[in-house]
Amino acid sequence: MSKMSDYDVVVVGAGVEGLASAYHLVKAGQRTLVLEQFPLPHTRGSSHGQSRITRYGYSDDFYTNMMLDAFPMWGCLEKEAGVQIFKECGVLNLGNLDGDYMSSLLASIKRHNVDHTVLQPADVRRDYPMFTYPDNYGGVMDKNGGILLADRAVAAFQSVFKQYGGEIRDGEPVTAVTPGEPLVTVTTSKGSYRGKKVVLAAGPWASKLLRPLGLDLPLRPIRITVCYWKEKEEGSLSSERLPCFIDEEAEGLNACAYGLPSDEYPGYVKVCVINGPDSDPDQRDTVDDTWLMQDLAAYVRRHLSCLHDNPGITEACMHTMTPDHNPVLDKHPQFNNIVIAAGFSGHGFKLAPAIGKAVSELVLDKPPSYTMDPFVLTRFQK
């Protein structure tokens, strides 16, 4: 066991949310340590992969407000790291314009002056003939949305965090978190570390750390199969012709479907659904999602006949879902120096700079920049 070391903040988890939190904390002058159970980089959690959709518009005002803050912070990270992280190609939200989701989305976009275009169903059919959606499907184009280059973003947070003096210890699983005042002790397979504050950002492993601390939150880890479908006409669906797209109320899937153009793997369009079987993150690849893949293939056949029927490339990752699909960003109710960041429900990556800012404000006892009521853990307590 190594000698015990003291820090201002110890962050458990080097996924994008933990790193974004650590990044804000070290820039605020905090001596910060990040602990990660796997050697970096790894593909066992929720933050790996080449791409994520990012957008301004949400049907919830509090998220749209956070995204207005997140976009320039992604730009700042690009400059600090000297790498491109964002590629603008627009994000097309598809659905019934009179439906609850699209109406709420459009109202939020208008309230926050997000640059957008409304497409009537005839406009969608004219401009995007590769889609075959119901006749009542219109669109809301989030013009300045696009693609986050995810692996680059995670690496950028790591490198800039270390440039500011932060420390990362990977390949070091946490075995215990022991509350205390003024210091919390975090024990790993290789040593013990003490922090004035501790941030638990452990992704699908969060419950394993929270239950010994007396918290049993409704965090549901699921296995996501990330699918890439070969174009029938190669090169026809790059970001020069196809925006990212989202079908929030995807028929037959009971979950949001989304797609990205064929920039990631040339000739393959990424089309996925935010759904999957319950999974122990340590046994991720043993669960069966045949039922879901059949439904997703049927969805692609119905609506994207420009693609081959079955995915040509599949990859896996974990999402940690909450009942309302909003994360937990809050202090432990008994231990004020332990902050929890968990349950990002498949849409946390784009928000990461704002999430990191919010977590740093919780750690440093600063007034919040955002509406935090949707993220308190007491919302799950009867």
Side-chain angles (χ1 to χ4, degrees), residues 84 199 277 292:
Q84 181 188 7
V199 175
L292 183 60

Side-chain angles (χ1 to χ4, degrees), residues 237-256:
L237 300 173
S238 71
S239 58
E240 294 169 359
R241 301 187 183 185
L242 181 71
C244 300
F245 58 93
I246 298 171
D247 181 3
E248 189 73 29
E249 300 172 355
E251 177 195 1
L253 292 176
N254 298 314
C256 173

Side-chain angles (χ1 to χ4, degrees), residues 325-348:
H325 293 190
N326 297 331
V328 175
L329 303 174
D330 205 352
K331 295 180 179 180
H332 191 289
Q334 290 176 265
F335 312 117
N336 199 50
N337 50 3
I338 297 177
V339 173
I340 300 152
F344 292 93
S345 300
H347 65 107

Side-chain angles (χ1 to χ4, degrees), residues 45-67:
S46 308
S47 296
H48 60 280
Q50 295 183 53
S51 64
R52 298 291 190 280
I53 292 177
T54 188
R55 54 190 162 116
Y56 283 93
Y58 267 88
S59 59
D60 297 300
D61 272 354
F62 56 87
Y63 281 135
T64 303
N65 184 54
M66 292 175 80
M67 286 309 306

Side-chain angles (χ1 to χ4, degrees), residues 67-216:
M67 286 309 306
L68 289 169
D69 211 15
F71 265 87
M73 285 193 281
W74 281 121
C76 178
L77 181 64
E78 282 187 315
K79 291 177 183 175
E80 290 171 316
V83 297
Q84 181 188 7
I85 294 171
F86 171 64
K87 183 173 185 177
E88 183 177 294
C89 64
V91 176
L92 179 62
N93 296 272
L94 293 159
N96 180 354
L97 293 174
D98 296 323
D100 291 344
Y101 173 76
M102 294 292 277
S103 297
S104 298
L105 171 70
L106 191 54
S108 180
I109 280 177
K110 288 179 176 178
R111 274 193 294 271
H112 290 86
N113 297 313
V114 171
D115 193 6
H116 70 283
T117 302
V118 177
L119 289 85
Q120 296 301 321
D123 301 327
V124 173
R125 291 192 292 272
R126 180 195 66 225
D127 294 346
Y128 301 102
M130 67 283 291
F131 296 145
T132 309
Y133 281 103
D135 288 344
N136 66 342
Y137 258 47
V140 176
M141 175 63 81
D142 196 333
K143 291 185 178 181
N144 300 124
I147 303 168
L148 284 172
L149 306 177
D151 282 342
R152 288 193 197 179
V154 172
F157 272 130
Q158 289 177 19
S159 65
V160 175
F161 170 69
K162 289 191 282 190
Q163 287 169 24
Y164 278 97
E167 184 178 347
I168 298 176
R169 292 180 178 267
D170 62 346
E172 204 163 328
V174 170
T175 57
V177 177
T178 306
E181 285 286 354
L183 298 172
V184 181
T185 302
V186 181
T187 305
T188 75
S189 59
K190 297 181 181 178
S192 292
Y193 311 93
R194 295 187 301 195
K196 296 175 186 175
K197 302 287 180 69
V198 166
V199 175
L200 300 180
W205 291 271
S207 290
K208 294 183 178 181
L209 295 178
L210 294 174
R211 285 183 186 129
L213 296 172
L215 284 180
D216 192 5

Side-chain angles (χ1 to χ4, degrees), residues 30 101 148 242 260 296 301:
Q30 299 295 293
Y101 173 76
L148 284 172
L242 181 71
L260 293 87
L296 183 55
R301 281 194 297 273

